[in-house]
Amino acid sequence: MKKIAILGFGVVGSGVAEVLTQNKKIIESKLNEEIEIKYILDLRDFPDSPFADKVIHDFDIILNDSEISIVVEMMGGSHPAYDFSKASLLAGKNVVTSNKEVVAKFGTELLQIAKENNVRYLFEASVGGGIPIIRPINNDLVSNKITGIDGILNGTTNYILTQMNENGTSFADALKDAQAKGYAEADPTADVEGIDAARKIVILSSLSFGKCISPEKVSRQGITQVSTEDFEIAKSLGYTIKLIGHAELINGKILATVSPRFIPLSNPLAHISDVYNGILVEANMLDKVLFYGKGAGKLPTASAVVADIMDIAQKMSNEQAPIIEWTNATDEDIADINDYLCKRCIIANGEAIITEKINLADAEKIAASYSANYKIYSIL
Amino acid sequence: MKKIAILGFGVVGSGVAEVLTQNKKIIESKLNEEIEIKYILDLRDFPDSPFADKVIHDFDIILNDSEISIVVEMMGGSHPAYDFSKASLLAGKNVVTSNKEVVAKFGTELLQIAKENNVRYLFEASVGGGIPIIRPINNDLVSNKITGIDGILNGTTNYILTQMNENGTSFADALKDAQAKGYAEADPTADVEGIDAARKIVILSSLSFGKCISPEKVSRQGITQVSTEDFEIAKSLGYTIKLIGHAELINGKILATVSPRFIPLSNPLAHISDVYNGILVEANMLDKVLFYGKGAGKLPTASAVVADIMDIAQKMSNEQAPIIEWTNATDEDIADINDYLCKRCIIANGEAIITEKINLADAEKIAASYSANYKIYSIL
């Protein structure tokens, strides 16, 4: 039997308990052993929950309990999630998380500590919710050199853009609708400004290229300036608009961007609607593969967390597991945004010009020659 | 260092050698050891190949060489591929294959022999070419109960149907075009009659439901009767037509079908064109996930084979690996096709009727009441 502790009993944390309970039989038959939730750490009590008797408020109980071999960090935010994860790994406990903020900011250090302590730090649910993407990149694409990634990584913004595209809804109304449906938070900044997507592209880029750039170094643009007129122009030219997290190597340096982009309708990403996510990976042998599914939601995300728990339960030692490891990128590892050439759509005076592959500075020069008031979309 | 033998130096076999050579550095850095091709078994010689000196003609040399820990069966066909695989497993050697025919027919036995001999039998490349699907179902969806699978599993027929859909090409002309491009063989039976797709849905269904039905028990219909008029009707109703391998449980019994189906344009499978494959998996926690990519081709398929080789190299013993295991289905495990209810499109007298969810027998009765000459498409 493996005993685990869940840190944080919010949406995903309680989802993990639900998956472990509801799919108990199937999980145990695959593992040939039980997974028992011994503790749930939260500031609150949950007297009406079937897990009420597991709830504790003192992390040290978990840290000092040698029976706990897996800590499931579902707290969100940087602190104390990072601190508890680090302490757990240092104490020789495996850690599973869905916390993209911690992985993007502190992943390098935590993976190193895990390695030194012969335990594992897994984070399948940090990108794409329930969609398998971290493990497939690390296990299945392992014989490939990854050359590029393009992902619809944020369900909230994809829902908003889908409403704008399909129903001609304005950004403001689509955002209100998303908030009413519970897809967007009261303060939607992290979603609509691309901050969430930037963390995720950092994780995917670190996995793919072995160097982790700071989320602040991602060239990032949100969707607040996208208008229904832009969608009409895109449509008339055979495109749609999606918020894309993009990463590639340019002369060995990492380019990572988040921006609303024109997507040709022939690209499978163009047809990923509503709160769904899709991640297109390009690799040197495999060409392109796409992973698609619900990028959020209690049970889908929790099922990815439980897959990580089961992976660890099968391979408690990291010696036989494919290790995830990357180093921090220095400024020299990061590509200059102006070394990135792609086709652009310049919108000025209500007209659209599609360019050849050019860099942003040149696109801006062309745009400025038409009007002081312009928009530039890069084209995927 | 791990020494391997490749059986069969055709398209995929030579692709494996190419991936191992071209991505040698990346593979060795991930494994911390070398993979060496010691033998290549083929009836032919390849004097101009850089691997000419590895080519042998006697399988017993491989079988009796204790240095060979991984046998890579790339021969195709049932025999001697099955016999060599079985002998290798019995001799305590791991086996990797892309041979869907052998896996669908003999997988139950070979997996059992692998288990008994503490080695592994892996076949990621047998379905979806380079698309990760076997390992994700077995590792990532492991905390889920899989409830259904719908896949575009054959690139040749998808290319033909795409030509018919987009260009109004007749089936006969689209087939000739596919043959001219090398996508279809001179005898296209296995593709156009759905035999290839049936083997693949058998493998996916066995993985998902734990019971392997014989490929002959799959309710199978090819694409030879699909006409451009059918596409026009489908289009006018908001559908397209794809050859779909489908599996689900009906009252605990396995339903497995291969047939051309109407796909609503809102379904992501509707937008998978040309030789691409896509596999949509439904699971009880995860909802739907889709895996998409090139379902065939030398290097994509070979890269999946090499991922299996690397998986084995990391975990030579099966003790710490997620075991794949299923039993043979008996007739009692197989659902009656008439227990399968779905929406249908009945085409009779040039008109189309969309029904509620009904079984095939009832659909046939309704169709016969309109005309003796009818077609029925099930709707996804």
Side-chain angles (χ1 to χ4, degrees):
Chain A
M1 181 187 300
K2 296 283 182 300
K3 300 200 177 182
I4 71 169
I6 299 175
L7 315 185
F9 205 54
V11 175
V12 184
S14 61
V16 169
E18 200 172 324
V19 171
L20 285 170
T21 309
Q22 211 173 312
N23 281 359
K24 190 176 170 62
K25 266 195 193 165
I26 198 165
I27 290 168
E28 288 177 9
S29 78
K30 290 205 182 154
L31 281 182
N32 284 320
E33 72 175 330
E34 271 183 77
I35 302 278
E36 188 197 293
I37 301 170
K38 186 166 180 184
Y39 304 114
I40 292 166
L41 182 78
D42 206 290
L43 295 173
R44 301 160 291 182
D45 279 305
F46 299 88
D48 301 329
S49 159
F51 303 97
D53 61 324
K54 317 273 190 195
V55 177
I56 59 168
H57 309 295
D58 179 3
F59 173 65
D60 284 343
I61 295 173
I62 294 165
L63 196 64
N64 296 323
D65 186 336
S66 62
E67 279 194 343
I68 296 295
S69 54
I70 305 173
V71 172
V72 184
E73 186 275 293
M74 304 280 115
M75 314 182 80
S78 278
H79 300 282
Y82 155 73
D83 313 273
F84 288 179
S85 297
K86 184 173 171 177
S88 301
L89 294 168
L90 285 168
K93 299 179 191 304
N94 298 277
V95 174
V96 170
T97 188
S98 60
N99 191 327
K100 55 231 167 206
E101 194 175 333
V102 169
V103 179
K105 272 194 200 166
F106 305 108
T108 311
E109 181 193 0
L110 295 174
L111 286 166
Q112 182 61 29
I113 295 173
K115 191 182 175 190
E116 286 164 8
N117 288 274
N118 195 28
V119 289
R120 299 170 73 200
Y121 180 59
L122 296 186
F123 43 86
E124 180 60 64
S126 66
V127 181
I131 308 169
I133 180 69
I134 306 289
R135 200 174 288 103
I137 286 182
N138 207 45
N139 296 7
D140 295 284
L141 273 56
V142 69
S143 65
N144 279 265
K145 188 174 166 187
I146 292 174
T147 52
I149 294 175
D150 289 293
I152 296 173
L153 301 171
N154 179 276
T156 307
T157 47
N158 203 43
Y159 178 82
I160 292 170
L161 294 176
T162 302
Q163 292 303 308
M164 294 175 74
N165 181 52
E166 290 180 2
N167 307 324
T169 318
S170 70
F171 170 76
D173 287 346
L175 172 59
K176 267 182 220 156
D177 175 29
Q179 286 170 322
K181 288 202 163 68
Y183 297 150
E185 297 185 45
D187 176 359
T189 311
D191 290 325
V192 300
E193 295 297 351
I195 297 167
D196 175 77
R199 289 173 184 145
K200 291 167 177 169
I201 197 68
V202 161
I203 296 172
L204 295 176
S205 142
S206 305
L207 261 181
S208 304
F209 307 129
K211 304 243 180 200
C212 181
I213 71 176
S214 158
E216 290 85 51
K217 301 273 182 174
V218 174
S219 164
R220 177 173 56 78
Q221 189 190 337
I223 63 163
T224 56
Q225 301 306 312
V226 179
S227 69
T228 49
E229 291 73 30
D230 297 346
F231 271 104
E232 277 162 34
I233 288 169
K235 243 182 241 184
S236 71
L237 297 166
Y239 298 95
T240 188
I241 303 173
K242 298 285 182 190
L243 184 69
I244 298 290
H246 171 80
E248 65 174 272
L249 289 182
I250 300 179
N251 299 323
K253 297 185 176 202
I254 297 167
L255 177 90
T257 67
V258 170
S259 61
R261 296 181 73 157
F262 274 32
I263 318 285
L265 296 181
S266 58
N267 188 308
L269 291 172
H271 303 281
I272 294 177
S273 306
D274 296 326
V275 294
Y276 284 87
N277 284 194
I279 300 149
L280 194 62
V281 182
E282 274 190 66
N284 72 337
M285 295 294 153
L286 201 44
D287 195 54
K288 289 179 185 178
V289 283
L290 176 90
F291 302 87
Y292 162 99
K294 281 204 173 155
K298 179 178 180 166
L299 294 179
T301 307
S303 89
V305 173
V306 175
D308 277 352
I309 295 172
M310 293 173 72
D311 188 338
I312 289 172
Q314 284 179 310
K315 301 184 276 279
M316 292 302 291
S317 142
N318 67 9
E319 278 163 33
Q320 295 220 315
I323 294 221
I324 299 176
E325 101 177 294
W326 62 60
T327 56
N328 279 329
T330 63
D331 282 351
E332 274 79 66
D333 295 318
I334 301 173
D336 183 333
I337 187 75
N338 273 316
D339 287 339
Y340 179 46
L341 307 182
C342 69
K343 286 173 73 179
R344 318 261 171 183
C345 178
I346 297 168
I347 301 176
N349 301 328
E351 280 188 61
I353 305 118
I354 305 277
T355 73
E356 287 310 292
K357 287 191 173 187
I358 57 175
N359 72 11
L360 186 59
D362 287 342
E364 284 171 343
K365 263 182 237 158
I366 297 172
S369 73
Y370 284 90
S371 163
N373 190 12
Y374 60 78
K375 279 185 185 178
I376 299 171
Y377 284 94
S378 58
I379 298 178
L380 199 66
Chain B
M1 181 186 302
K2 297 284 184 299
K3 300 200 177 183
I4 71 170
I6 299 175
L7 315 185
F9 205 55
V11 174
V12 184
S14 61
V16 170
E18 199 172 323
V19 171
L20 286 170
T21 309
Q22 211 172 312
N23 282 359
K24 188 176 173 62
K25 267 195 193 165
I26 200 166
I27 291 168
E28 288 177 9
S29 77
K30 291 205 180 152
L31 281 181
N32 283 320
E33 72 175 329
E34 271 182 76
I35 303 278
E36 188 198 294
I37 302 170
K38 186 167 181 183
Y39 304 115
I40 292 166
L41 182 78
D42 206 289
L43 295 173
R44 300 161 289 180
D45 279 306
F46 299 87
D48 300 329
S49 159
F51 303 97
D53 61 323
K54 317 274 190 194
V55 177
I56 59 168
H57 309 295
D58 179 3
F59 173 65
D60 284 343
I61 295 174
I62 294 166
L63 196 64
N64 295 324
D65 186 336
S66 62
E67 280 193 343
I68 297 294
S69 54
I70 305 173
V71 171
V72 184
E73 186 275 292
M74 303 282 114
M75 312 182 82
S78 278
H79 299 283
Y82 156 72
D83 313 273
F84 288 178
S85 298
K86 185 172 172 178
S88 301
L89 294 167
L90 285 167
K93 299 179 191 304
N94 299 278
V95 174
V96 171
T97 188
S98 60
N99 191 325
K100 55 230 167 207
E101 192 175 334
V102 168
V103 179
K105 273 195 199 164
F106 305 108
T108 311
E109 181 192 2
L110 295 174
L111 285 165
Q112 183 61 32
I113 294 174
K115 191 182 175 189
E116 287 164 9
N117 289 274
N118 195 29
V119 289
R120 300 170 73 200
Y121 180 58
L122 296 187
F123 42 87
E124 178 61 63
S126 66
V127 181
I131 307 169
I133 180 68
I134 306 289
R135 199 174 289 105
I137 286 182
N138 207 46
N139 296 7
D140 296 284
L141 274 55
V142 68
S143 66
N144 280 266
K145 188 174 165 188
I146 292 175
T147 52
I149 293 175
D150 288 294
I152 296 173
L153 301 171
N154 179 275
T156 307
T157 46
N158 203 44
Y159 178 82
I160 292 170
L161 294 176
T162 302
Q163 292 303 309
M164 294 175 74
N165 182 52
E166 290 180 2
N167 307 325
T169 318
S170 70
F171 170 76
D173 287 345
L175 172 59
K176 267 182 220 156
D177 176 29
Q179 285 169 322
K181 288 201 165 68
Y183 297 150
E185 297 185 45
D187 176 0
T189 312
D191 289 324
V192 300
E193 295 297 351
I195 296 167
D196 175 77
R199 289 172 185 146
K200 291 168 177 169
I201 197 68
V202 161
I203 296 172
L204 295 176
S205 145
S206 305
L207 261 181
S208 303
F209 307 130
K211 303 243 181 201
C212 181
I213 71 176
S214 159
E216 290 85 51
K217 301 272 181 172
V218 174
S219 165
R220 177 174 55 78
Q221 191 191 335
I223 63 164
T224 57
Q225 301 305 312
V226 179
S227 69
T228 49
E229 291 73 29
D230 297 346
F231 270 103
E232 276 163 33
I233 289 170
K235 245 181 238 184
S236 72
L237 297 165
Y239 297 95
T240 189
I241 302 173
K242 297 283 183 190
L243 183 70
I244 298 290
H246 171 80
E248 66 174 274
L249 289 181
I250 299 179
N251 299 323
K253 298 186 176 200
I254 297 166
L255 176 89
T257 66
V258 170
S259 61
R261 295 182 74 156
F262 274 32
I263 317 287
L265 296 182
S266 58
N267 188 307
L269 291 173
H271 303 282
I272 294 177
S273 307
D274 296 324
V275 294
Y276 283 87
N277 285 13
I279 300 148
L280 194 63
V281 182
E282 274 190 65
N284 72 338
M285 295 294 152
L286 202 45
D287 196 57
K288 290 180 185 177
V289 282
L290 176 90
F291 302 86
Y292 162 98
K294 280 204 174 155
K298 177 177 182 165
L299 294 179
T301 308
S303 89
V305 173
V306 175
D308 278 351
I309 294 172
M310 293 173 73
D311 188 339
I312 289 172
Q314 284 179 310
K315 302 185 274 280
M316 291 302 294
S317 142
N318 68 9
E319 277 162 35
Q320 295 221 317
I323 294 224
I324 299 176
E325 161 165 59
W326 62 60
T327 58
N328 278 330
T330 63
D331 281 351
E332 274 80 66
D333 295 319
I334 301 173
D336 184 331
I337 187 74
N338 272 317
D339 287 340
Y340 179 46
L341 308 181
C342 67
K343 286 173 72 178
R344 318 260 172 184
C345 178
I346 296 168
I347 301 176
N349 302 329
E351 277 188 62
I353 305 118
I354 304 277
T355 73
E356 286 310 292
K357 286 190 173 190
I358 57 175
N359 71 13
L360 186 59
D362 287 342
E364 284 171 343
K365 264 182 238 158
I366 297 173
S369 74
Y370 284 90
S371 163
N373 188 12
Y374 60 79
K375 279 185 185 179
I376 299 171
Y377 284 93
S378 58
I379 298 177
L380 198 65

